């Protein structure tokens, strides 16, 4: 990738001509309207900064140390360039998500506190290079990404070599002062994988639920309400009361039991908050807290998962590791049937064997490592996206980089699209390996244009995706592929701390005669050693044997490396995470707790339907989109449906097509739907699910809907979206009541003697107090009586006694307007 001189100039606050002159002084050839490499840009900038520094030093006539100068510059740049935008975490996320970008960010300097804001500059689209030039450019670009001593020595703080393509026409400079760039690699990885972190989701959930509660409580606002007084009084009592521990996921009836209230009381309290829930519904954390306050019961909400989640505990413990070291990338190969996935895996493995470990016997353990230019790469030996997504669905994402194999003589096929959808859904960057390039009818350009149509544009066409021409038969391009993988790994800065206890992911397992349960694991962090006690999902054990992919016994496994281990109590499940713990006892205890937790969670989830889940999520502000998978009989239908679905959106909800393709609904679609967060709904047009897909969908609680008329499909989706939208609340006035007398009842409050002028007053109605034509209070009826009896309703022309919740200042002559709130299902207009 090259950068326009004009753009470099703009970034430096100079004219292009001045940049050309600086370049000349450095012996770099540059033209005002020309382009330079990021490294050249970096050199120019450093040179310029140093020049500047010298002149400053002269002026001040003081010897200032280099670091000080840097700090000063930072401050100055902050003052001088207020337009600069600070690099945000989202930018980092964006960066890593976008497949291959071309350059590596440099080490940041954590001690520097000042952070200049970064300016976004527009880059004109690079012209599409052709032929030999194209290859040259690519090579040049690649060169820039390699760790160069020269680059490492640079002390400049804003480095154009750190430029990163963010959007097609944009180039952004990384802010090297941004402290978070020093985030541990695992953190970055984790954050990248889950676009929204759990904490973010929590915050949003809390915010959303709070806003629902606030909205619905609006009626009782405006002064010290009875509830408020109640709360204050009860708070005093709380001091003496025992704190009740309530699990985060609790049903209404379980909550009632825990706080020793009747189910009726809890349901009524919820209703008063505007929430219609039945006994089996789950309460959100916010409702638990609000209800507890209402009842004056001190509670402590705890997350049962946190107690059992050994992986989370491990991550917390090892989060601030200071011994991060580069680790090998973990690669999965995916693609259409017969496009050469297995052949490619074999070729890569054999090239390693023949070249390096001649005589070594390849052990098929489910993963293997190769070395290229002194760096290791781990390949997962099970090609295909099923295993990849199954693992993700189990919460473990082991793959760092995916290779999508496309046969050059066959082009993009359904499973190519599927594989891409799976990688994209998992936010795993991918490289396209255009295979069978040796074949006479190979047409790599066709593959490129087919993928470009899907938005997967090759780098040489100005896009972001690396395409590598390979032949699994002749071995052509394999080196290039490995180089590209390493380049991507470098961008991702995959790091781990080998000094920590190990965390590994199981990728395969089996029971072997004489050895017992055997599992292949890939270590994600720490070093796994013989005799380590571990927990692994619901199983546990102690590492007895470690065998590598060449069949050799080993004493330990380092981060990024695969190995087969024995010592499990039971066969582990692929996708489960193994974590080393202090003792066998703790390992067993943790595994048992995990098992209990999973069983409980399974029980509690079993009554929840997908749609209900979605609806609840949207009500709680968690969900803004309805994830769907579209399968249809022809490409034309797929496009038409996708086009129409994309238009179905409003400010609250929208459809998110996570995958679409021609053909029957398969088990893979179900797996993908399951791995989506939240689970996706599968829409079939003129196609049906296979029996395997039907069974799997039933097992996994995935909804499949099939249609033969597009309008029916769209109507149904609109209906679903309507169901997911927050219901509209309409007010309906029930009566107009005149206050004719007031009575002060000691310890009870003011009772208004009223006459119903119009309509019918109901117990439980809301009420507005109108004095001299102005609404002075909005609340609810606390009681409705005829003479001394509580009544359900009082009609026009009758007298009644009314008390208003939280309001005693009622006066003769006040008019009460009673009303009801009617929830109307929102209707999606689109
Ligand atoms: N000429 C040529 N043939 C290849 C190449 N790669 C694979 N093949 C052939 O293509 C066929 C399919 O290759 P596989 O490696 O089995 O393909 P796959 O994608 O693993 O297939 P499945 O495992 O069935 O999904 C085999 O006959 C291979 O010999 C290649 O680069 N060139």
């Amino acid at each position: 990738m090259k950068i326009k001189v004009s753009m470099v100039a703009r970034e430096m606050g100079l004219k292009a001509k001045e940049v050309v002159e600086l370049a000349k002084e450095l012996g770099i050839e540059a033209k005002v309207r020309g382009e330079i490499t990021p490294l050249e840009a970096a050199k120019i900038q450093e040179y310029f900064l140093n020049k500047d520094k010298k002149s400053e030093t002269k002026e001040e006539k003081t010897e200032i140390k280099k670091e000080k100068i840097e700090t000063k510059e930072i401050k100055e740049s902050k003052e001088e360039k207020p337009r600069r935008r600070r690099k945000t975490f989202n930018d980092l996320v964006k960066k890593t998500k976008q497949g291959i970008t071309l350059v590596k960010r440099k080490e940041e300097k954590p001690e520097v506190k000042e952070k200049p804001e970064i300016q976004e500059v527009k880059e004109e689209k690079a012209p599409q290079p052709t032929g030999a030039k194209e290859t040259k450019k690519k090579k040049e670009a690649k060169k820039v990404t390699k760790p160069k001593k020269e680059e490492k020595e640079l002390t400049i703080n804003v480095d154009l070599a750190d430029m990163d393509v963010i959007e097609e026409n944009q180039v952004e400079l990384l802010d090297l002062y941004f402290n978070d760039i020093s985030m541990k690699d695992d953190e970055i990885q984790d954050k990248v994988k889950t676009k929204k972190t759990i904490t973010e989701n929590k915050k949003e959930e809390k915010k959303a639920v709070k806003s629902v509660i606030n909205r619905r409580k609006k009626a009782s606002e405006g002064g010290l309400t009875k509830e408020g007084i109640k709360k204050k009084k009860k708070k005093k009592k709380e001091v003496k009361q025992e704190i009740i521990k309530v699990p985060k996921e609790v049903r209404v009836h379980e909550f009632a039991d825990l706080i020793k209230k009747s189910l009726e009381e809890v349901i009524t309290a919820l209703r008063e908050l505007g929430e219609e829930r039945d006994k089996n519904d789950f309460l959100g954390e916010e409702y638990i807290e609000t209800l507890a306050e209402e009842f004056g019961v001190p509670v402590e909400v705890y997350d049962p998962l946190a107690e059992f989640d050994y992986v989370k505990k491990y991550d917390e413990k090892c989060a601030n590791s200071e011994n991060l070291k580069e680790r090998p990338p973990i690669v999965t190969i995916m693609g259409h049937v017969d496009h050469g996935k297995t052949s490619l895996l074999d070729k890569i493995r054999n090239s390693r064997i023949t070249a390096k470990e001649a005589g070594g016997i390849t052990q098929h353990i489910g993963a293997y490592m190769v070395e290229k230019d002194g760096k290791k790469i781990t390949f997962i030996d099970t090609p295909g996206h099923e295993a990849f997504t199954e693992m993700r669905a189990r919460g473990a994402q082991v793959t760092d980089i995916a290779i999508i194999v496309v046969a050059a003589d066959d082009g993009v096929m359904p499973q190519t699209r599927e594989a891409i959808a799976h990688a994209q859904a998992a936010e795993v960057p991918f490289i396209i390996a255009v295979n069978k390039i040796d074949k006479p009818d190979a047409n790599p350009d066709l593959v490129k244009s087919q993928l470009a149509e899907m938005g997967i544009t090759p780098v040489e066409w100005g896009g972001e995706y690396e395409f590598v021409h390979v032949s699994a038969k002749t071995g052509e391009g394999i080196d290039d592929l490995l180089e590209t993988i390493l380049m991507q790994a470098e961008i991702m800065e995959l790091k781990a701390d080998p000094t920590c206890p190990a965390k590994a992911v199981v990728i395969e397992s089996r029971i072997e005669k004489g050895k017992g349960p055997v599992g292949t694991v890939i270590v994600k962090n720490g070093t796994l050693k013989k005799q380590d006690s571990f927990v692994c999902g619901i199983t546990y054990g102690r590492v007895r044997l470690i065998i590598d992919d060449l069949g050799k016994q080993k004493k330990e496994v380092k981060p990024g490396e695969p190995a087969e281990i024995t010592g499990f109590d039971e066969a582990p499940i692929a996708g489960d995470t193994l974590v080393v713990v202090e003792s066998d006892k703790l390992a067993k205890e943790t595994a048992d707790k995990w098992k209990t937790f999973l069983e409980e969670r399974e029980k509690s989830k079993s009554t929840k339907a997908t749609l209900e889940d979605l609806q609840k999520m949207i009500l709680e502000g968690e969900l803004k989109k309805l994830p769907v998978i579209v399968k249809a009989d022809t490409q034309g239908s797929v496009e038409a449906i996708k086009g129409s679905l994309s238009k179905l959106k409003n400010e609250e909800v929208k459809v998110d097509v996570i995958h679409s393709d021609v053909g029957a609904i398969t088990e893979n679609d179900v797996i993908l739907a399951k791995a989506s967060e939240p689970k996706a709904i599968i829409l079939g047009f003129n196609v049906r699910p296979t029996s395997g897909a039907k069974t799997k969908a039933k097992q996994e609680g995935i909804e499949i809907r099939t249609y033969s008329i597009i309008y029916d499909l769209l109507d149904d989706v609109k209906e679903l979206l309507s169901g997911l939208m927050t219901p509209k609340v309409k007010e309906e006035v029930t009566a107009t009541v005149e206050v004719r007398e007031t009575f002060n009842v000691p310890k009870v409050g003011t009772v208004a003697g009223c006459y119903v002028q119009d309509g019918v007053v109901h117990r439980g109605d809301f009420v507005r107090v109108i004095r001299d034509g102005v609404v002075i209070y909005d609340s609810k009826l606390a009681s409705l009586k005829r003479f001394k009896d509580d009544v359900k309703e009082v009609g026009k022309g009758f007298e009644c006694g009314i008390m208003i919740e939280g309001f005693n200042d009622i006066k003769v002559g006040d008019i009460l307007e009673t009303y009801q709130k009617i929830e109307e299902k929102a209707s999606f207009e689109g």
Side-chain angles (χ1 to χ4, degrees), residues 336-344 383 435-439 470-474:
H336 191 70
V337 60
D338 274 356
H339 276 197
K341 301 179 289 293
T342 313
S343 309
L344 195 57
N435 192 30
K436 306 199 185 182
I437 204 77
D438 60 286
K439 285 190 130 184
V470 294
S471 166
K473 191 175 170 191
T474 66

Side-chain angles (χ1 to χ4, degrees), residues 149-167:
K149 271 185 201 154
E150 210 182 335
E151 243 184 81
K152 290 244 160 89
E153 280 160 17
L154 298 183
T155 52
I156 60 158
N157 298 305
V158 176
D159 189 340
L160 287 169
D162 293 300
M163 201 169 275
D164 185 13
V165 178
I166 297 293
E167 273 168 18

